[in-house]
Amino acid sequence: MIPPAFDYLTPQSLSEVIGLLHQHGPDAKVLAGGHSLIPAMRLRFAEPCHLIDISGLEDLNCIREADGLLRIGAMTREADLEDSEIVQTGYPILLDTAKMIADPQVRNLAPVGATSRTVILPMTIPPPCPPCGQVEITGQGGKRIVPIDEFFPDFFTTVLDHGEILTEIQIPAPPPNSGGAYLKIECKVGDDAGAAGAAQVSWDEDAEPTLQAVLQTHVSYVAFIGSKKQARALKEYLQQEGIPGKRLDALYAPAGLDLQAKSPGEIAVSVLAEIVQLQAQLS
Ligand SMILES: Cc1cc2nc3c(=O)[nH]c(=O)nc-3n(C[C@H](O)[C@H](O)[C@H](O)COP(=O)(O)OP(=O)(O)OC[C@H]3O[C@@H](n4cnc5c(N)ncnc54)[C@H](O)[C@@H]3O)c2cc1C
């Protein structure tokens, strides 16, 4: 189907985009790579009268580290994550993820900000990373920062108001001695995940603050590997710090099924076995 007629606008600056959004109100939509919006328009699911193409906003195309945060501009192409030395060296979980989004043609054109906006980001970009991050939103009133957990109040819904756009994704730099991995199983390239798993691991003398931060998100399986005595002390500490009982249920301490595991590989298998068991109980 051919979409209904629309005005095509090509602003060259962020302030121009915000001005146009304000001027045209709910009749306007921003266009990034167009992979999702154009098909939606062809199906009449979206009928904007004004399309504001933001692909010219080169200022929003950057990956940098500042103030302990990885800052990814909203117009950074998904493929740029793969090529970024910063991501390659410091954020392996993000690198794994970027390689699994869609196919190279889509990744070359679709910016990270649009992925987040369409709420497809949680489909591929794994929870251990983004829920600990935040997004920068820009509108007529200036900029505001929203924790990524609060950015999606519901499925296919964001807290963006009319006249606002997402301008940056900010992810805290992982602590030293940590690493992560993401695996998506798909039948063919570009398919949705048949199954996916993500893990972010930190080797930290002082695990309590990290676990406390993670338990304040919606992550449903948080693993602590240590002795039963350490696990008891940890739970007491977290209770005293006010982590509600419901969230403490997400903490598996010590993590893993009791397989008498000793080596790191065996422990990993016991943790995976526990996840499989929990998954089976849910379905
Ligand atoms: C064949 C195919 C396979 C895919 N597979 C995957 C996958 O495996 N995993 C995955 O995560 N994604 C996948 N995607 C989604 C893809 O990665 C893009 O995220 C998606 O297409 C949106 O990017 P776009 O540039 O096309 O956005 P557009 O279609 O231009 O925009 C999408 C929406 O976001 C809005 N928007 C865009 N930028 C902003 C902004 N900065 N602020 C506010 N609103 C904005 C637009 O108004 C529109 O409503 C796939 C897409 C295709 C076409």
Short mmCIF file of all heavy atoms in Angstrom, two decimals, residues 29-39 51 54 60 74-75 78 100-103 106-107 109-118 120-125 151 160 164-167 184 186 190-193, ligand 1:
data_model
loop_
_atom_site.label_atom_id
_atom_site.label_comp_id
_atom_site.label_asym_id
_atom_site.label_seq_id
_atom_site.Cartn_x
_atom_site.Cartn_y
_atom_site.Cartn_z
N LYS A 29 5.84 13.49 12.90
CA LYS A 29 6.63 12.39 13.45
C LYS A 29 8.05 12.52 12.94
O LYS A 29 8.25 12.94 11.80
CB LYS A 29 6.06 11.05 12.98
CG LYS A 29 5.20 10.37 14.05
CD LYS A 29 4.94 8.93 13.70
CE LYS A 29 4.20 8.21 14.81
NZ LYS A 29 4.90 8.19 16.07
N VAL A 30 9.01 12.12 13.79
CA VAL A 30 10.37 12.12 13.27
C VAL A 30 10.64 10.81 12.54
O VAL A 30 10.09 9.76 12.88
CB VAL A 30 11.44 12.35 14.37
CG1 VAL A 30 11.37 13.75 14.93
CG2 VAL A 30 11.35 11.33 15.48
N LEU A 31 11.48 10.92 11.53
CA LEU A 31 11.85 9.76 10.71
C LEU A 31 13.35 9.55 10.86
O LEU A 31 14.13 10.47 10.67
CB LEU A 31 11.52 10.06 9.24
CG LEU A 31 11.93 9.02 8.21
CD1 LEU A 31 10.96 7.83 8.24
CD2 LEU A 31 11.95 9.62 6.80
N ALA A 32 13.76 8.34 11.22
CA ALA A 32 15.21 8.06 11.36
C ALA A 32 15.63 7.23 10.14
O ALA A 32 15.84 7.77 9.06
CB ALA A 32 15.47 7.36 12.68
N GLY A 33 15.68 5.90 10.29
CA GLY A 33 16.02 5.06 9.14
C GLY A 33 14.80 4.68 8.32
O GLY A 33 14.91 4.25 7.17
N GLY A 34 13.63 4.77 8.92
CA GLY A 34 12.37 4.50 8.22
C GLY A 34 11.97 3.03 8.14
O GLY A 34 10.90 2.72 7.61
N HIS A 35 12.78 2.13 8.67
CA HIS A 35 12.47 0.70 8.55
C HIS A 35 11.15 0.30 9.22
O HIS A 35 10.48 -0.62 8.77
CB HIS A 35 13.57 -0.16 9.19
CG HIS A 35 14.84 -0.15 8.42
ND1 HIS A 35 16.00 0.38 8.92
CD2 HIS A 35 15.11 -0.60 7.19
CE1 HIS A 35 16.95 0.25 8.02
NE2 HIS A 35 16.45 -0.32 6.96
N SER A 36 10.83 0.98 10.31
CA SER A 36 9.61 0.64 11.04
C SER A 36 8.47 1.59 10.70
O SER A 36 7.34 1.19 10.51
CB SER A 36 9.86 0.69 12.56
OG SER A 36 10.83 -0.25 12.90
N LEU A 37 8.81 2.89 10.60
CA LEU A 37 7.77 3.89 10.41
C LEU A 37 7.12 3.80 9.02
O LEU A 37 5.90 3.87 8.89
CB LEU A 37 8.35 5.30 10.65
CG LEU A 37 7.36 6.44 10.62
CD1 LEU A 37 6.18 6.21 11.55
CD2 LEU A 37 8.04 7.77 10.97
N ILE A 38 7.94 3.63 7.99
CA ILE A 38 7.37 3.61 6.63
C ILE A 38 6.40 2.43 6.45
O ILE A 38 5.27 2.63 5.99
CB ILE A 38 8.49 3.63 5.55
CG1 ILE A 38 9.38 4.88 5.69
CG2 ILE A 38 7.92 3.51 4.14
CD1 ILE A 38 8.71 6.21 5.41
N PRO A 39 6.79 1.20 6.85
CA PRO A 39 5.80 0.11 6.74
C PRO A 39 4.54 0.41 7.56
O PRO A 39 3.42 0.11 7.11
CB PRO A 39 6.52 -1.11 7.31
CG PRO A 39 7.97 -0.79 7.20
CD PRO A 39 8.10 0.70 7.30
N LEU A 51 6.56 14.59 8.07
CA LEU A 51 7.66 13.69 8.44
C LEU A 51 8.92 14.52 8.59
O LEU A 51 9.37 15.17 7.64
CB LEU A 51 7.88 12.65 7.36
CG LEU A 51 7.18 11.30 7.50
CD1 LEU A 51 7.79 10.30 6.53
CD2 LEU A 51 7.28 10.76 8.92
N ILE A 54 15.34 13.17 10.66
CA ILE A 54 16.43 13.62 11.55
C ILE A 54 17.78 13.00 11.19
O ILE A 54 18.73 13.10 11.95
CB ILE A 54 16.08 13.35 13.04
CG1 ILE A 54 15.78 11.86 13.28
CG2 ILE A 54 14.93 14.21 13.50
CD1 ILE A 54 15.63 11.52 14.77
N LEU A 60 24.29 14.18 16.72
CA LEU A 60 23.76 13.08 17.55
C LEU A 60 24.34 11.74 17.11
O LEU A 60 23.86 10.69 17.52
CB LEU A 60 22.23 13.03 17.46
CG LEU A 60 21.47 14.24 17.99
CD1 LEU A 60 19.97 13.97 18.00
CD2 LEU A 60 21.93 14.58 19.40
N ALA A 74 21.70 9.51 19.77
CA ALA A 74 20.52 8.80 19.26
C ALA A 74 20.62 8.47 17.77
O ALA A 74 20.00 7.54 17.30
CB ALA A 74 19.28 9.64 19.51
N MET A 75 21.42 9.25 17.01
CA MET A 75 21.53 8.97 15.57
C MET A 75 22.74 8.10 15.22
O MET A 75 23.10 7.97 14.05
CB MET A 75 21.57 10.29 14.78
CG MET A 75 20.23 11.01 14.73
SD MET A 75 18.87 9.96 14.22
CE MET A 75 19.30 9.63 12.52
N GLU A 78 23.30 1.51 14.29
CA GLU A 78 23.56 0.25 15.02
C GLU A 78 24.90 -0.35 14.59
O GLU A 78 25.65 -0.88 15.41
CB GLU A 78 22.41 -0.73 14.77
CG GLU A 78 21.11 -0.29 15.41
CD GLU A 78 19.87 -0.99 14.85
OE1 GLU A 78 20.00 -1.79 13.90
OE2 GLU A 78 18.78 -0.72 15.37
N MET A 100 23.89 -8.83 16.64
CA MET A 100 22.72 -9.70 16.48
C MET A 100 21.45 -8.94 16.11
O MET A 100 20.39 -9.54 15.95
CB MET A 100 22.45 -10.48 17.78
CG MET A 100 23.56 -11.37 18.27
SD MET A 100 24.06 -12.63 17.10
CE MET A 100 22.61 -13.63 16.98
N ILE A 101 21.53 -7.61 16.02
CA ILE A 101 20.32 -6.86 15.66
C ILE A 101 20.08 -7.00 14.16
O ILE A 101 20.97 -6.71 13.36
CB ILE A 101 20.45 -5.35 15.98
CG1 ILE A 101 20.76 -5.13 17.47
CG2 ILE A 101 19.19 -4.60 15.61
CD1 ILE A 101 21.05 -3.66 17.81
N ALA A 102 18.90 -7.45 13.81
CA ALA A 102 18.48 -7.48 12.41
C ALA A 102 19.56 -8.05 11.49
O ALA A 102 20.17 -9.07 11.80
CB ALA A 102 18.05 -6.08 11.97
N ASP A 103 19.80 -7.37 10.35
CA ASP A 103 20.83 -7.80 9.41
C ASP A 103 21.68 -6.57 9.05
O ASP A 103 21.32 -5.45 9.39
CB ASP A 103 20.19 -8.41 8.14
CG ASP A 103 19.10 -7.51 7.60
OD1 ASP A 103 19.37 -6.32 7.39
OD2 ASP A 103 17.96 -7.97 7.42
N VAL A 106 19.98 -3.36 7.63
CA VAL A 106 19.19 -2.59 8.60
C VAL A 106 20.14 -1.86 9.55
O VAL A 106 19.98 -0.66 9.82
CB VAL A 106 18.23 -3.52 9.39
CG1 VAL A 106 17.56 -2.76 10.53
CG2 VAL A 106 17.17 -4.12 8.47
N ARG A 107 21.17 -2.57 10.02
CA ARG A 107 22.08 -1.96 11.01
C ARG A 107 22.83 -0.77 10.42
O ARG A 107 23.19 0.16 11.14
CB ARG A 107 23.09 -3.00 11.52
CG ARG A 107 22.45 -4.13 12.31
CD ARG A 107 23.46 -4.79 13.22
NE ARG A 107 24.49 -5.54 12.53
CZ ARG A 107 24.40 -6.82 12.18
NH1 ARG A 107 23.30 -7.49 12.43
NH2 ARG A 107 25.41 -7.43 11.57
N LEU A 109 21.66 1.47 8.56
CA LEU A 109 20.78 2.65 8.42
C LEU A 109 20.07 3.01 9.71
O LEU A 109 19.86 4.19 10.00
CB LEU A 109 19.75 2.36 7.32
CG LEU A 109 19.11 3.55 6.65
CD1 LEU A 109 20.16 4.42 5.98
CD2 LEU A 109 18.10 3.07 5.60
N ALA A 110 19.69 2.00 10.50
CA ALA A 110 18.85 2.28 11.68
C ALA A 110 19.69 2.81 12.84
O ALA A 110 20.67 2.20 13.24
CB ALA A 110 18.13 1.01 12.11
N PRO A 111 19.30 3.96 13.38
CA PRO A 111 20.04 4.48 14.52
C PRO A 111 19.57 3.87 15.85
O PRO A 111 18.43 3.44 15.96
CB PRO A 111 19.75 5.97 14.49
CG PRO A 111 18.66 6.18 13.53
CD PRO A 111 18.28 4.89 12.89
N VAL A 112 20.48 3.89 16.82
CA VAL A 112 20.19 3.30 18.12
C VAL A 112 18.99 3.98 18.78
O VAL A 112 18.17 3.33 19.42
CB VAL A 112 21.45 3.42 19.02
CG1 VAL A 112 21.19 2.89 20.40
CG2 VAL A 112 22.62 2.69 18.37
N GLY A 113 18.87 5.29 18.60
CA GLY A 113 17.76 6.02 19.22
C GLY A 113 16.41 5.55 18.72
O GLY A 113 15.45 5.46 19.50
N ALA A 114 16.32 5.24 17.43
CA ALA A 114 15.04 4.77 16.89
C ALA A 114 14.73 3.38 17.40
O ALA A 114 13.59 3.03 17.65
CB ALA A 114 15.09 4.79 15.36
N THR A 115 15.77 2.57 17.57
CA THR A 115 15.58 1.23 18.09
C THR A 115 14.97 1.32 19.48
O THR A 115 14.03 0.61 19.82
CB THR A 115 16.93 0.48 18.17
OG1 THR A 115 17.58 0.63 16.93
CG2 THR A 115 16.74 -0.97 18.48
N SER A 116 15.51 2.23 20.28
CA SER A 116 14.99 2.39 21.64
C SER A 116 13.57 2.90 21.60
O SER A 116 12.72 2.49 22.37
CB SER A 116 15.82 3.42 22.41
OG SER A 116 17.16 3.31 22.06
N ARG A 117 13.32 3.83 20.68
CA ARG A 117 12.01 4.46 20.60
C ARG A 117 10.93 3.46 20.25
O ARG A 117 9.83 3.49 20.77
CB ARG A 117 12.07 5.58 19.54
CG ARG A 117 10.77 6.19 19.16
CD ARG A 117 10.16 6.93 20.37
NE ARG A 117 8.91 7.56 19.98
CZ ARG A 117 7.75 6.97 20.06
NH1 ARG A 117 7.67 5.74 20.52
NH2 ARG A 117 6.65 7.60 19.69
N THR A 118 11.26 2.53 19.37
CA THR A 118 10.23 1.59 18.94
C THR A 118 10.09 0.44 19.95
O THR A 118 9.36 -0.49 19.72
CB THR A 118 10.57 0.99 17.56
OG1 THR A 118 11.92 0.57 17.58
CG2 THR A 118 10.36 1.97 16.45
N ILE A 120 12.01 -1.72 20.51
CA ILE A 120 12.59 -2.96 20.03
C ILE A 120 13.89 -3.20 20.79
O ILE A 120 14.32 -4.32 20.95
CB ILE A 120 12.81 -2.87 18.51
CG1 ILE A 120 11.45 -2.96 17.84
CG2 ILE A 120 13.68 -4.00 18.00
CD1 ILE A 120 11.41 -2.48 16.45
N LEU A 121 14.44 -2.12 21.33
CA LEU A 121 15.72 -2.25 22.06
C LEU A 121 15.68 -3.37 23.10
O LEU A 121 16.58 -4.19 23.13
CB LEU A 121 16.08 -0.91 22.69
CG LEU A 121 17.38 -0.86 23.50
CD1 LEU A 121 18.13 0.42 23.18
CD2 LEU A 121 17.11 -0.91 24.97
N PRO A 122 14.64 -3.45 23.94
CA PRO A 122 14.69 -4.52 24.93
C PRO A 122 14.63 -5.91 24.31
O PRO A 122 14.99 -6.88 24.94
CB PRO A 122 13.46 -4.27 25.80
CG PRO A 122 13.04 -2.89 25.51
CD PRO A 122 13.48 -2.60 24.11
N MET A 123 14.15 -5.99 23.04
CA MET A 123 14.10 -7.29 22.38
C MET A 123 15.50 -7.83 22.15
O MET A 123 15.77 -9.01 22.28
CB MET A 123 13.46 -7.13 21.00
CG MET A 123 12.09 -7.71 20.89
SD MET A 123 11.39 -7.23 19.31
CE MET A 123 12.59 -7.77 18.12
N THR A 124 16.40 -6.94 21.76
CA THR A 124 17.73 -7.42 21.42
C THR A 124 18.78 -6.95 22.41
O THR A 124 19.64 -7.71 22.81
CB THR A 124 18.11 -6.97 20.00
OG1 THR A 124 17.26 -7.65 19.10
CG2 THR A 124 19.54 -7.33 19.66
N ILE A 125 18.70 -5.70 22.82
CA ILE A 125 19.73 -5.22 23.75
C ILE A 125 19.38 -5.73 25.14
O ILE A 125 18.27 -5.53 25.61
CB ILE A 125 19.85 -3.69 23.68
CG1 ILE A 125 20.27 -3.34 22.25
CG2 ILE A 125 20.87 -3.19 24.68
CD1 ILE A 125 20.91 -2.04 22.02
N PHE A 151 11.66 4.54 31.19
CA PHE A 151 11.41 5.07 29.84
C PHE A 151 10.29 4.29 29.15
O PHE A 151 9.55 4.82 28.33
CB PHE A 151 12.71 4.99 29.02
CG PHE A 151 12.59 5.55 27.64
CD1 PHE A 151 12.33 6.90 27.45
CD2 PHE A 151 12.75 4.74 26.53
CE1 PHE A 151 12.23 7.43 26.17
CE2 PHE A 151 12.65 5.26 25.24
CZ PHE A 151 12.39 6.61 25.06
N LEU A 160 8.04 9.57 26.26
CA LEU A 160 8.27 10.75 25.42
C LEU A 160 6.95 11.51 25.23
O LEU A 160 5.93 10.91 24.89
CB LEU A 160 8.77 10.33 24.03
CG LEU A 160 10.23 9.92 23.89
CD1 LEU A 160 10.49 9.37 22.50
CD2 LEU A 160 11.15 11.11 24.16
N GLU A 164 9.00 16.04 21.99
CA GLU A 164 10.29 15.61 22.57
C GLU A 164 10.91 14.53 21.69
O GLU A 164 10.19 13.74 21.08
CB GLU A 164 10.08 15.00 23.95
CG GLU A 164 9.76 16.01 25.03
CD GLU A 164 9.71 15.35 26.40
OE1 GLU A 164 9.28 14.18 26.50
OE2 GLU A 164 10.10 15.99 27.37
N ILE A 165 12.23 14.50 21.66
CA ILE A 165 12.90 13.36 21.03
C ILE A 165 13.99 12.83 21.96
O ILE A 165 14.48 13.53 22.85
CB ILE A 165 13.49 13.64 19.62
CG1 ILE A 165 14.69 14.58 19.68
CG2 ILE A 165 12.46 14.15 18.66
CD1 ILE A 165 15.51 14.53 18.38
N LEU A 166 14.32 11.58 21.71
CA LEU A 166 15.40 10.95 22.47
C LEU A 166 16.71 11.40 21.85
O LEU A 166 16.86 11.34 20.62
CB LEU A 166 15.22 9.44 22.34
CG LEU A 166 16.04 8.55 23.24
CD1 LEU A 166 15.19 7.34 23.60
CD2 LEU A 166 17.29 8.09 22.57
N THR A 167 17.63 11.88 22.65
CA THR A 167 18.87 12.39 22.06
C THR A 167 20.12 11.58 22.44
O THR A 167 21.10 11.58 21.71
CB THR A 167 19.09 13.88 22.41
OG1 THR A 167 18.68 14.13 23.74
CG2 THR A 167 18.30 14.77 21.48
N LYS A 184 21.95 -14.71 21.09
CA LYS A 184 20.58 -14.76 20.57
C LYS A 184 20.51 -15.94 19.61
O LYS A 184 21.38 -16.07 18.74
CB LYS A 184 20.27 -13.44 19.87
CG LYS A 184 19.00 -13.43 19.04
CD LYS A 184 18.83 -12.05 18.41
CE LYS A 184 17.82 -12.04 17.30
NZ LYS A 184 17.77 -10.76 16.59
N GLU A 186 18.61 -17.56 16.62
CA GLU A 186 17.62 -17.22 15.58
C GLU A 186 17.72 -18.25 14.46
O GLU A 186 18.79 -18.82 14.24
CB GLU A 186 17.87 -15.80 15.06
CG GLU A 186 19.29 -15.57 14.59
CD GLU A 186 19.64 -14.12 14.28
OE1 GLU A 186 18.81 -13.23 14.44
OE2 GLU A 186 20.78 -13.90 13.84
N GLY A 190 18.45 -11.97 11.10
CA GLY A 190 17.39 -10.96 11.09
C GLY A 190 16.10 -11.42 11.74
O GLY A 190 15.20 -10.63 11.96
N ASP A 191 16.03 -12.72 12.07
CA ASP A 191 14.82 -13.22 12.73
C ASP A 191 14.74 -12.71 14.16
O ASP A 191 15.74 -12.37 14.77
CB ASP A 191 14.87 -14.75 12.80
CG ASP A 191 14.09 -15.39 11.67
OD1 ASP A 191 13.53 -14.64 10.85
OD2 ASP A 191 14.03 -16.64 11.62
N ASP A 192 13.52 -12.73 14.71
CA ASP A 192 13.38 -12.48 16.14
C ASP A 192 14.03 -13.63 16.88
O ASP A 192 14.17 -14.74 16.35
CB ASP A 192 11.89 -12.40 16.52
CG ASP A 192 11.26 -11.13 15.97
OD1 ASP A 192 12.02 -10.20 15.63
OD2 ASP A 192 10.02 -11.08 15.88
N ALA A 193 14.37 -13.37 18.15
CA ALA A 193 15.06 -14.40 18.93
C ALA A 193 14.12 -15.56 19.26
O ALA A 193 13.02 -15.34 19.75
CB ALA A 193 15.58 -13.78 20.21
C1 LIG B 1 14.01 -6.73 8.83
C2 LIG B 1 14.21 -6.10 10.19
C3 LIG B 1 14.71 -6.87 11.23
C4 LIG B 1 14.90 -6.31 12.50
N1 LIG B 1 15.42 -7.08 13.51
C5 LIG B 1 15.65 -6.51 14.72
C6 LIG B 1 16.25 -7.27 15.78
O1 LIG B 1 16.59 -8.43 15.61
N2 LIG B 1 16.43 -6.66 16.97
C7 LIG B 1 16.09 -5.35 17.17
O2 LIG B 1 16.29 -4.83 18.28
N3 LIG B 1 15.57 -4.61 16.17
C8 LIG B 1 15.34 -5.15 14.98
N4 LIG B 1 14.79 -4.38 13.98
C9 LIG B 1 14.49 -2.97 14.24
C10 LIG B 1 15.60 -2.07 13.72
O3 LIG B 1 16.81 -2.39 14.40
C11 LIG B 1 15.29 -0.59 14.00
O4 LIG B 1 15.38 -0.36 15.36
C12 LIG B 1 13.95 -0.15 13.64
O5 LIG B 1 13.72 -0.49 12.31
C13 LIG B 1 13.78 1.35 13.90
O6 LIG B 1 14.82 2.08 13.29
P1 LIG B 1 14.54 3.01 12.04
O7 LIG B 1 15.71 3.85 11.81
O8 LIG B 1 14.06 2.23 10.93
O9 LIG B 1 13.40 3.94 12.71
P2 LIG B 1 12.17 4.68 12.04
O10 LIG B 1 11.29 3.69 11.34
O11 LIG B 1 12.61 5.85 11.26
O12 LIG B 1 11.46 5.19 13.38
C14 LIG B 1 10.82 4.30 14.27
C15 LIG B 1 10.03 5.10 15.32
O13 LIG B 1 10.91 5.78 16.20
C16 LIG B 1 10.66 7.20 16.15
N5 LIG B 1 11.98 7.81 16.33
C17 LIG B 1 13.09 7.61 15.59
N6 LIG B 1 14.14 8.25 16.14
C18 LIG B 1 13.67 8.87 17.26
C19 LIG B 1 14.27 9.68 18.26
N7 LIG B 1 15.57 10.00 18.25
N8 LIG B 1 13.48 10.15 19.28
C20 LIG B 1 12.18 9.84 19.31
N9 LIG B 1 11.56 9.07 18.39
C21 LIG B 1 12.29 8.59 17.38
C22 LIG B 1 9.97 7.46 14.83
O14 LIG B 1 9.15 8.59 14.88
C23 LIG B 1 9.14 6.18 14.69
O15 LIG B 1 7.96 6.28 15.45
C24 LIG B 1 14.59 -4.93 12.71
C25 LIG B 1 14.09 -4.16 11.65
C26 LIG B 1 13.89 -4.72 10.40
C27 LIG B 1 13.35 -3.86 9.28
#
